[in-house]
Structures are given as C-alpha cells and as structure tokens.
Amino acid sequence: MSPSLGVMRALSSSLTKSIYERLRSFDRRAVIKFSLFPYIDFVREDESARITPREGHDFETITLSGKFKNENYQFSSELVAKICEGQGINIADFVDYVNSAADQATISFDNKGHRKRNYQAIFRSLAKKDPSFTAHLSAHGIDISRIQRYTEGDKAPTVRKLGGISEFRNHYLRSFVNGRGSKLSRKSYHYFNNYDQLLKLTEQNPRAVHFYCDDIMRCMIGGKPAQGALKSVIEKNVNRFRALVATQSVPFDPINNKMSHVLDVVDNFGEALYTKLISSAFSSEPQLAFKIAQSMDDYSLKILGIAVNTGAIILDESNQRGLHLDLRGLRFRISYQLSPWYPLPTQTGSERKISHLGFHKPSTQTALFDWED
C-alpha cells in the first residue's frame, strides 16, 4: 500500500528541514542551493535557534536580484561592458544602438548613454490627454512653460518627482475622460527602449544580462533596425523569464480544493496594478508595492514564498539582511523582469497591504485580492 500524499509531503518537509539544520560542514552544493533562497518556510527560528545556519557561521545568504529601493545598477553595467569587450564590440556603440530605439521626442542621452528626460515635452504631451495631470500640476504650482528656467533645487521636489510616472502614463494612456482612462496598446515596448531601462530589466541577474546582451548583439551585428530589434528581444526575454516562473509548482490546497500557480498569482498583481495606474486619476506616488498583512493565511504565504525564490517578486531588503523565515509584515514589488508584460514602470511607489490572495485570472475576476487598509 503506497503512502498518502499528506504522509509523503510531511516526510519531504522533515528531510528538507533535517538537511538544512545540518548545513555546517555539509556538502557545498547543498549550502549554495539553500543560500540562494531569500525565504524558507520549512524551519522556524524559535524551533531551531541553536542549530540553523546563521550569517557569519559558515553560511552567507546571496541576494539574486537588486535591492528593493536605492537600486544600484553598477554590476549590470560593468557586466555589459565585459560582455561587449569579449565580443569585440565597443560598449559605446552598443549603448548607442540600444538608445537609438528610444522615443527621441521625450528623452535625450548624455555622453555615457544615460537618459535625460525632456520634462517639458513629456508634461505637455500628457496634459493634452489627461485633465487629472493638468489639475495636479496646477495644484502644485508647476508651470510647464517655465520648467526650463527651474533651478536644480526647484526640480527635485516638483518636476523630477513626477518624471517616471508621467513618462510611463504618457506612453500607455490614450485619454482620460469622466474620471476614467483608456489604454493604448501594450504590444509596443517604447517605454523600455533605452539603455537605462535595459539595465533595470535585468534586475542585476547575471543570466538575464547575458541573455539580453547576446540577443541584442546578434541583432546589432545583423544590421537589424534597433526599434524592432529591441521590441523582439524584450518580448523574448520576458517570455523566457515567465516560462521559468511557470515551472514552479504549488502544493494542492485542500481547503479551496484547487491548485494555484505562481505565475497566475503574480499576473493578478501586475494586471491589477496596471489597470489602476492607467484607469485612475494621476498620482505622483501610485501604488506599486505591497505589504503582507500579519493575518495572511499559510497557503497564500507558500505561493508568495515560491515567487520570492524564483525572483518573480522582490522583497524589501533595506531593513533586514539574511534569510526571511516569515513574509508577514514585509514589503515586496513585482520583478522588473516582468514589467514589460503588464506593463509597469520600473520604479517603486506607495504600498497597499494585502491579507489574502485571489486565485482567479484577471480576465475572469476584477477583485483579485482583498485589500487591507
């Protein structure tokens, strides 16, 4: 007689916990594998305080992606330069090729290829189709015609604060009428077509950097027009990462009598954020992050934990280093590697607290999860 699914799962959990608790002087391959997990749910700190690995005791956690905020893309930038050097390609030529696909009407580039937003052009374009943005400018005393005369000190708290969101909204908003926005096609990736955005899309993951660089270089050497090339490369690499996330299985939920999928849950978040971002009135700090409520159930936490370990969602690492044994109370955002799919801006905004995950795809249900204010 074969053992039941519950018995097998309990045995697997017990073995995993046993291995983890004995990592000191253990097989290095196991140490590395567990080190790559920012989150684990098979051990509790209060139960194994004396025997679980600790930072500095033959154990070090490795964060696979960039920090939640204050992101520094120096690693990705240096790796791109080394890849170009290895291929005999001038890094400046590579950056120029990527940036040539960008919307030159709203951004320009410095001598290192980093973008400089044309705030005046962006604001004028968005103001024509979005009365809520015009109202926001008026309420904060921002005169579009005088932006070029603003000092650097004046720009920081006013103009620059609106730069990323206004640029994104200008790309994807068709019009905003009677308090509701209509969307432009999401098939174009013009918002992401520049070198700075490329660095963000990699999330500092070495494999992602190599994938993007290799694909773009083939297009560049083959003489393909940059705009079409970047669109196909971004689409290919987003689908590549989504395929990885989709392989992650989630245990069957006996309470809801169904099995959920990590990618579906992450898609629910992304679709909800994009819809609110475009359909609602302009906000300088839209909700682009989440905070997990203390009341969230264990099954939902298990799904989020898998999403964390695959890199599909990124935890706020600014206040805590090392392993996370419990996700409750932590903030997270969707990985920038998935931003073009929904799409979402590559920046962090305000947060909403979530207490429960919805298990339906966005196309069949609009109430995707329960908000907790």
Side-chain angles (χ1 to χ4, degrees):
M1 182 177 177
S2 60
S4 67
L5 181 62
V7 171
M8 291 295 293
R9 185 174 298 136
L11 180 60
S12 174
S13 176
S14 175
L15 288 173
T16 306
K17 179 178 176 180
S18 177
I19 291 172
Y20 178 76
E21 291 172 346
R22 290 161 176 78
L23 278 180
R24 296 194 65 172
S25 302
F26 197 70
D27 190 321
R28 286 186 178 184
R29 291 170 296 180
V31 175
I32 292 173
K33 183 174 180 61
F34 283 111
S35 294
L36 295 176
F37 292 166
Y39 166 74
I40 56 172
D41 65 346
F42 46 77
V43 67
R44 290 290 179 265
E45 197 164 16
D46 56 342
E47 296 175 356
S48 308
R50 290 186 237 173
I51 53 178
T52 55
R54 289 289 181 271
E55 291 282 347
H57 291 263
D58 298 342
F59 186 85
E60 180 181 357
T61 53
I62 301 171
T63 304
L64 285 175
S65 57
K67 291 183 178 180
F68 185 87
K69 56 183 179 180
N70 300 324
E71 292 105 332
N72 183 336
Y73 297 97
Q74 182 178 355
F75 171 77
S76 291
S77 182
E78 291 177 352
L79 183 54
V80 171
K82 288 297 183 181
I83 294 173
C84 287
E85 182 182 330
Q87 294 294 323
I89 295 175
N90 188 303
I91 179 63
D93 293 338
F94 177 83
V95 173
D96 287 345
Y97 177 76
V98 173
N99 284 338
S100 67
D103 183 357
Q104 304 291 333
T106 57
I107 58 176
S108 58
F109 302 95
D110 62 20
N111 57 5
K112 292 185 178 181
H114 297 300
R115 61 179 170 165
K116 298 169 62 179
R117 291 190 180 98
N118 184 337
Y119 294 105
Q120 202 166 36
I122 294 171
F123 286 11
R124 279 178 175 160
S125 177
L126 182 57
K128 288 179 181 178
K129 52 188 175 183
D130 186 0
S132 69
F133 179 65
T134 305
H136 181 92
L137 295 180
S138 178
H140 290 80
I142 301 174
D143 185 348
I144 296 178
S145 64
R146 297 184 63 251
I147 286 179
Q148 290 182 328
R149 298 197 293 272
Y150 281 16
T151 65
E152 289 302 308
D154 290 334
K155 283 183 179 179
T158 54
V159 176
R160 281 207 191 91
K161 185 178 180 180
L162 308 181
I165 292 300
S166 58
E167 181 184 39
F168 178 86
R169 194 170 171 92
N170 185 48
H171 271 282
Y172 291 104
L173 180 70
R174 183 188 303 277
S175 63
F176 193 80
V177 181
N178 297 325
R180 188 168 184 81
S182 61
K183 312 165 192 173
L184 286 169
S185 171
R186 296 186 285 182
K187 294 180 180 179
S188 171
Y189 296 128
H190 290 171
Y191 171 77
F192 303 95
N193 281 358
N194 59 76
Y195 183 63
D196 285 347
Q197 289 284 27
L198 175 67
L199 296 181
K200 288 188 174 185
L201 292 181
T202 66
E203 282 281 12
Q204 307 230 63
N205 186 309
R207 181 173 292 179
V209 175
H210 273 280
F211 280 149
Y212 268 103
C213 285
D214 292 346
D215 290 339
I216 292 172
M217 285 175 182
R218 278 193 288 269
C219 294
M220 179 180 171
I221 295 171
K224 294 184 178 179
Q227 193 171 93
L230 263 291
K231 179 182 182 300
S232 63
V233 168
I234 291 171
E235 187 171 26
K236 176 181 178 180
N237 282 281
V238 170
N239 285 332
R240 180 183 271 151
F241 185 63
R242 286 175 60 80
L244 168 66
V245 178
T247 63
Q248 305 304 303
S249 61
V250 178
F252 181 75
D253 177 17
I255 297 177
N256 294 312
N257 196 32
K258 63 181 65 175
M259 180 179 288
S260 193
H261 298 280
V262 174
L263 187 59
D264 288 345
V265 171
V266 176
D267 280 349
N268 284 345
F269 281 114
E271 290 286 348
L273 289 175
Y274 173 66
T275 298
K276 185 172 179 60
L277 193 61
I278 296 299
S279 298
S280 301
F282 179 85
S283 170
S284 60
E285 294 188 25
Q287 291 161 353
L288 293 172
F290 303 92
K291 187 170 185 178
I292 302 172
Q294 295 292 338
S295 59
M296 180 166 282
D297 62 282
D298 290 340
Y299 185 68
S300 295
L301 286 173
K302 186 176 288 292
I303 297 174
L304 290 179
I306 295 172
V308 167
N309 288 337
T310 61
I313 61 177
I314 306 299
L315 291 178
D316 183 350
E317 298 282 354
S318 59
N319 298 318
Q320 180 176 348
R321 288 184 57 82
L323 286 172
H324 294 284
L325 303 181
D326 191 351
L327 296 178
R328 294 181 178 92
L330 298 182
R331 298 175 71 212
F332 73 87
R333 63 166 169 80
I334 294 176
S335 171
Y336 294 154
Q337 292 189 76
L338 294 170
S339 287
W341 178 267
Y342 303 114
L344 293 173
T346 49
Q347 68 181 77
T348 304
S350 60
E351 67 183 36
R352 285 297 291 267
K353 186 178 287 187
I354 56 169
S355 59
H356 179 69
L357 298 182
F359 300 113
H360 297 275
K361 291 187 178 181
S363 59
T364 58
Q365 179 174 318
T366 55
L368 304 174
F369 32 67
D370 299 330
W371 296 111
E372 194 176 276
D373 294 314

